[in-house]
Amino acid sequence: MRAELIMIGTELLLGEVVDTNASFLAVKLAHCGVDLYYKSTVGDNLSRGKEVLEQALRRSDLVIISGGLGPTEDDLTRDIVSLVTKRELVEDSGVAQDVQNWFYERYGTQTQIPPHNRKQALFPRGSHVLANPVGTAPGFWLDLDGQSIIALPGVPHELKTIFSTSVEPVLLSQTSGQRLVTRNLNFVGIGESRLEEILQDLLAKQSNPTMALYASGGKVRVRLTAKASSQADALSLIEPLTDEIQARTKGYLYGLDGQTLEEVVGRQLMEGGLTVALAESCTGGLVSHLLTNVPGSSSYFQRGYVVYSNLAKQEDLGVPADTLRKFGAVSPETAKAMSEGVRLEVGTDFGLALTGIAGPGGGSPEKPVGLVYISLASSSDTIVQRHLWRGTREQIKNRSALAALQLLWQNSQ
């Protein structure tokens, strides 16, 4: 079955609203064993919506439309489907009563449905109404000659509810039994091109599962997708490849699927009975924020200092004034003194420190914007890393925080 998505809404085209419905539907269709080939986004315009739907029906077996089912004049999905399929709009008495009851409950028993709200009970003739238990706009399913159109409301929680309760079970019963299952492998501290070199032979001979690499924000993700008759069978195809990749990429592969680096670090610290304290300058508490996002982090995260000024570094962490005067706040010497100072001050197993120049100003030829030193102190050793990032202030802070978590992850195993 070849599927296509049509996302309706001028707000989507203008970037005012992020289209989360498309990603949800794509994942769900793959789970159902339906091949998604195309996705279109069109504004609230009758002629352009009609054109997009006509194109979709020329090339797809299943078309799912999101949005345009509300009560206002610019909600045009019913009209578009009616025009393209030449099925007149007819009122569903049950839906009309549901809408009337909603107005009764909200405004009183004497309230009648406003004329523009009656359109929510109109559907192309022959449609199967998809009940909306969390909103007032039902969806509909219209079967044609070997093709189907499914229209769902654009409000995300309504779309998800209707799809999961009324669409997904039917699609699962209609497909051939083949399921697409995806596992994501998450990497840090390695570039996309270097990882591709390591996995080149696996990429060259891929078939089922398939592989793809994606890079974003200092992380790389390897997507493994297998098609099989069941999720268990698909995972059995994926697991040997996962094991092979893991054996080749130790020190970089930190988690699977939705696991975050801070979750993995937290689990390691908790399992090892280890504690950490933070001393942050250029990241302004970002690393502490990430670590404490994880439930149960109070068992290993003891304290975090944001020591933005030289005076704070001296008073809170005991960084010697001579070190700051001789080497500067952004230096390996100061980073080392910060990590060792916070560890001794708090009495933790690890002291993690960051100091750098996030920009856009404050740099020099000797110490450019993006220069960051990260230090990790323990009872046995102190490690200092030098990084030079490119990007905006926010990007430099995020990359620095990620590198700090990576350093802690690699040394707390």
Side-chain angles (χ1 to χ4, degrees):
M1 184 184 295
R2 177 179 295 188
E4 182 160 346
L5 301 180
I6 299 177
M7 321 309 289
I8 293 183
T10 302
E11 70 278 9
L12 300 176
L13 287 178
L14 296 178
E16 296 173 349
V17 173
V18 176
D19 183 6
T20 58
N21 287 341
S23 58
F24 169 82
L25 291 171
V27 170
K28 285 293 188 177
L29 288 173
H31 171 70
C32 293
V34 176
D35 295 320
L36 178 61
Y37 278 58
Y38 304 99
K39 186 199 85 167
S40 301
T41 302
V42 63
D44 300 305
N45 181 278
L46 187 66
S47 62
R48 288 192 290 273
K50 179 175 177 288
E51 179 182 349
V52 169
L53 180 56
E54 287 173 340
Q55 180 188 48
L57 290 173
R58 285 195 294 269
R59 62 192 183 186
S60 301
D61 307 307
L62 170 65
V63 180
I64 299 180
I65 304 172
S66 165
L69 292 179
T72 61
E73 290 186 6
D74 61 353
D75 289 310
L76 301 169
T77 295
R78 301 173 188 81
D79 303 278
I80 291 169
V81 176
S82 176
L83 284 171
V84 172
T85 62
K86 296 181 174 53
R87 303 284 187 96
E88 72 273 24
L89 294 175
V90 294
E91 183 175 282
D92 184 285
S93 59
V95 174
Q97 186 61 53
D98 289 340
V99 176
Q100 180 68 77
N101 292 341
W102 185 88
F103 274 89
Y104 284 166
E105 293 170 4
R106 185 160 186 172
Y107 299 112
T109 56
Q110 302 305 313
T111 304
Q112 295 297 313
I113 306 175
H116 58 270
N117 280 92
R118 296 198 71 90
K119 69 183 294 185
Q120 291 183 290
L122 297 176
F123 303 93
R125 184 176 295 279
S127 296
H128 171 66
V129 176
L130 304 175
N132 183 351
V134 292
T136 60
F140 63 87
W141 186 320
L142 178 61
D143 284 323
L144 306 170
D145 293 331
Q147 294 177 297
S148 296
I149 299 172
I150 299 173
L152 303 170
V155 179
H157 77 278
E158 296 183 22
L159 177 142
K160 291 177 181 179
T161 299
I162 296 175
F163 187 92
S164 298
T165 58
S166 300
V167 177
E168 186 174 14
V170 178
L171 291 180
L172 285 170
S173 68
Q174 290 181 348
T175 53
S176 63
Q178 293 293 299
R179 302 288 177 261
L180 282 176
V181 176
T182 294
R183 167 151 288 170
N184 289 292
L185 312 184
N186 305 317
F187 298 82
V188 68
I190 187 171
E192 183 181 13
S193 59
R194 175 59 184 141
L195 184 58
E196 185 180 39
E197 290 177 9
I198 295 173
L199 306 179
Q200 184 58 51
D201 61 312
L202 301 178
L203 289 163
K205 65 181 182 182
Q206 63 175 303
S207 56
N208 187 24
T210 59
M211 295 176 58
L213 278 67
Y214 307 91
S216 176
K219 300 177 185 177
V220 181
R221 173 171 59 92
V222 173
R223 176 186 55 76
L224 305 178
T225 300
K227 179 176 280 191
S229 58
S230 69
Q231 181 170 347
D233 288 343
L235 288 174
S236 70
L237 295 173
I238 291 173
E239 284 171 5
L241 187 56
T242 300
D243 293 340
E244 176 63 25
I245 294 173
Q246 192 166 23
R248 298 186 187 191
T249 57
K250 288 183 178 178
Y252 302 112
L253 173 59
Y254 69 82
L256 304 177
D257 298 323
Q259 287 182 310
T260 65
L261 183 54
E262 52 265 32
E263 288 172 341
V264 174
V265 169
R267 186 185 66 245
Q268 284 185 180
L269 293 174
M270 188 180 297
E271 291 175 352
L274 302 170
T275 56
V276 63
L278 267 291
E280 301 184 62
S281 183
C282 61
T283 46
L286 179 57
V287 183
S288 298
H289 168 70
L290 292 172
L291 283 172
T292 55
N293 270 345
V294 181
S297 54
S298 59
S299 66
Y300 50 83
F301 181 83
Q302 296 298 302
R303 193 170 301 172
Y305 292 85
V306 177
V307 284
Y308 222 64
S309 68
N310 285 355
L311 181 62
K313 292 177 178 66
Q314 294 176 61
E315 291 183 346
D316 294 342
L317 307 177
V319 176
D322 287 346
T323 298
L324 290 164
R325 184 167 48 252
K326 183 176 181 180
F327 301 106
V330 181
S331 64
E333 292 81 6
T334 295
K336 182 174 184 292
M338 289 170 62
S339 66
E340 292 175 345
V342 74
R343 177 179 173 272
L344 293 174
E345 176 68 26
V346 183
T348 51
D349 296 293
F350 294 104
L352 182 59
L354 303 91
T355 181
I357 306 168
S364 68
E366 295 78 20
K367 296 182 179 182
V369 169
L371 176 64
V372 177
Y373 290 98
I374 303 174
S375 180
L376 181 68
S378 65
S379 60
S380 60
D381 193 16
T382 298
I383 301 168
V384 180
Q385 292 182 342
R386 179 186 184 274
H387 297 277
L388 186 58
W389 311 117
R390 292 182 179 180
T392 65
R393 181 180 181 85
E394 183 178 8
Q395 288 171 329
I396 290 169
K397 290 174 68 175
N398 287 331
R399 292 294 297 273
S400 299
L402 188 64
L405 290 175
Q406 180 192 355
L407 181 61
L408 183 56
W409 167 59
Q410 291 175 331
N411 289 276
S412 62
Q413 299 181 38

